[in-house]
Amino acid sequence: MKAEELVEDYMRLAGASIDVPDISPISISIDMPAKRKDKCAVILAPHPDDECITGGIALRLKQELDWQIYVIPITLGSDESRKKERLSELSFACASLGFDCVLPDDMAFSDINPDARINTHSKESISWNSKVLKITEMLSAISPNAVFLPHEHDGHKTHIGTHLLGMDALGNMPHGFSCSVVMTEFWSPIKEANAFFELPQTVVASLVTALSYHKKEVARNPFNSTLPAYFIDCARRIEQTLPEAKADSMVKMGQAVRFGKYLKGRFVPSALKHIITKNQNLTAHFS
């Protein structure tokens, strides 16, 4: 193949329209879905669509270890006119992935950003503290084995706000509570990544399909069709983010994360740097 042909194929695929099955949406409300599995994880999604973009490891947990996955959409975006539509799109995306979803408030939260947290005696801070309490209550009800949330420098104010909100909520949990914590990236790479999880092609295809149900979002920017390229680029960056880690084989696609435990009131990052290939059992990493 000539280089020109390769580039032409990439550009054609980057704008491709993705066909999606005709499925029934799940029901999303403030009512907690039933806990059906012994093991479960929570994805704190800054916006609808982040459950797909960063949901690869959670989907592996569901498919390989039969975990139940809860999505908590922290916001429904900043456009008031689009919130109901984005909630509807989210219901189809979660149905596609087999995830449950529960709202923290009737139409999720707003003003999730670092500025809303800074002044401890301001009205914004009082509102922030009430949101922290709500997420704490939800985590207490679910008692997750793992929590997924953006890392603290993820390049978007709502992603950074979601990180702060999630960590504040974990800090409110009972002292004996512990769980795995997976800090994900999208807008900005994690400089202190300590794990890379390879994603099988079937998992990436499922994420692309689910993301395509967010129709209005991918209409303005086809990041559903470019999602595999993003995961390929994550694999490319392993040499920089995890130079000490050794892989059994060359990985093609996956997620770089900051991985650790929330234990005795604080986050303890994993001391070992891991590359977890698609053929490795996740049980050793998620107890």
Side-chain angles (χ1 to χ4, degrees):
M1 175 182 284
K2 293 182 179 179
E4 291 81 358
E5 294 172 333
L6 176 69
V7 174
E8 184 178 349
D9 283 349
Y10 266 102
M11 294 307 295
R12 175 178 56 81
L13 292 172
S17 176
I18 309 298
D19 295 330
V20 295
D22 185 11
I23 61 174
S24 298
I26 65 167
S27 176
I28 302 178
S29 70
I30 59 174
D31 297 321
M32 191 70 67
K35 190 168 184 177
R36 306 182 303 276
K37 307 290 183 181
D38 291 336
K39 299 279 189 175
C40 65
V42 166
I43 300 174
L44 298 179
H47 308 94
D49 68 30
D50 287 308
E51 80 288 347
C52 302
I53 295 168
T54 64
I57 301 168
L59 188 56
R60 280 193 63 182
L61 287 169
K62 174 180 169 54
Q63 293 182 349
E64 297 171 27
L65 301 182
D66 197 31
W67 282 35
Q68 186 172 359
I69 309 299
Y70 294 88
V71 175
I72 300 178
I74 300 301
T75 80
L76 297 177
S78 58
D79 185 346
E80 293 290 337
S81 67
R82 280 268 293 136
K83 287 188 175 183
K84 288 185 178 180
E85 191 173 21
R86 294 198 73 176
L87 183 60
S88 175
E89 292 171 348
L90 177 62
S91 69
F92 281 97
C94 286
S96 177
L97 294 170
F99 291 173
D100 289 296
C101 188
V102 59
L103 288 165
D105 204 354
D106 286 340
M107 293 303 288
F109 294 148
S110 58
D111 297 323
I112 300 298
N113 57 72
D115 290 341
R117 181 178 179 263
I118 289 175
N119 299 315
T120 56
H121 301 296
S122 67
K123 291 181 180 179
E124 290 81 2
S125 180
I126 294 171
S127 174
W128 178 270
N129 291 337
S130 69
K131 293 167 184 173
V132 170
L133 179 60
K134 181 60 182 179
I135 299 301
T136 304
E137 291 172 350
M138 297 176 78
L139 294 180
S140 296
I142 296 169
S143 190
N145 302 92
V147 173
F148 293 78
L149 75 171
H151 71 103
E152 62 267 44
H153 303 296
D154 201 21
H156 187 295
K157 64 179 182 179
T158 305
H159 283 235
I160 296 169
T162 298
H163 171 87
L164 296 170
L165 184 71
M167 296 307 290
D168 283 354
L170 285 171
N172 275 352
M173 295 292 284
H175 192 68
F177 172 80
S178 67
C179 70
S180 296
V181 174
V182 186
M183 298 185 188
T184 59
E185 63 171 42
F186 183 63
W187 292 106
S188 296
I190 301 178
K191 294 181 179 179
E192 61 286 334
N194 60 2
F196 180 91
F197 288 80
E198 186 179 14
L199 299 180
Q201 290 185 26
T202 52
V203 166
V204 174
S206 295
L207 297 174
V208 170
T209 298
L211 188 54
S212 300
Y213 285 104
H214 293 280
K215 295 180 179 179
K216 286 286 183 70
E217 297 304 302
V218 300
R220 64 177 177 80
N221 184 340
F223 53 93
N224 55 338
S225 58
T226 59
L227 191 63
Y230 166 69
F231 291 135
I232 291 170
D233 188 60
C234 289
R236 176 190 66 82
R237 290 189 280 109
I238 287 178
E239 292 185 21
Q240 181 185 41
T241 55
L242 297 170
E244 301 168 23
K246 302 295 183 184
D248 294 333
S249 61
M250 181 63 70
V251 294
K252 301 297 185 183
M253 294 187 290
Q255 290 180 260
V257 299
R258 191 174 187 213
F259 185 75
K261 282 274 191 181
Y262 201 85
L263 188 65
K264 295 181 179 179
R266 66 189 185 96
F267 173 67
V268 182
S270 174
L272 297 176
K273 294 194 173 185
H274 299 284
I275 294 177
I276 300 91
T277 67
K278 61 186 179 183
N279 297 319
Q280 286 181 277
N281 194 311
L282 296 178
T283 304
H285 303 280
F286 291 90
S287 56

